[in-house]
Amino acid sequence: MNRVSNIVWGILLIIVGVVTSLNILEITNINLLFDGWWTLVIIIPCLINVIMKKNIFANTVGIIIGIILLLCCQNILDFELVLRLSIPVLLIVLGVQFILNSKENK
């Protein structure tokens, strides 16, 4: 793993450990498992890869998908509408990718 990746994961683990310890000691009552917490499993690795400049396009798409799913879990976006729009948006993203790849090959 890259040094930046190790630092980010280390900071995240420390934060989770401190918050969990404070909750156990009943100093705080912070709930780390909010609605849609699992979307962070998509967002955080993609964000780290964008920062490390690895496959920026695919990881940016991953971040966007993760954020959309998080907003659906928080009832900010309608999941049914997002689901219906997913195929047209996928076609648009693929079209943009084809255009960008053709410019890179010249």
Side-chain angles (χ1 to χ4, degrees), residues 5-75:
S5 177
N6 287 341
I7 291 171
V8 171
W9 283 113
I11 290 171
L12 286 173
L13 290 172
I14 290 169
I15 291 170
V16 170
V18 167
V19 170
T20 304
S21 298
L22 292 173
N23 285 344
I24 290 170
L25 295 171
E26 297 180 358
I27 296 171
T28 62
N29 187 18
I30 299 172
N31 186 4
L32 293 175
L33 300 178
F34 55 90
D35 290 338
W37 66 269
W38 57 269
T39 60
L40 297 178
V41 175
I42 299 170
I43 296 169
I44 292 172
C46 289
L47 186 61
I48 290 170
N49 284 334
V50 167
I51 292 169
M52 294 184 338
K53 298 181 180 175
K54 292 183 179 178
N55 202 353
I56 294 174
F57 185 81
N59 285 300
T60 302
V61 171
I63 292 169
I64 292 168
I65 290 170
I67 291 171
I68 289 171
L69 289 172
L70 178 62
L71 293 174
C72 289
C73 290
Q74 295 289 319
N75 293 322

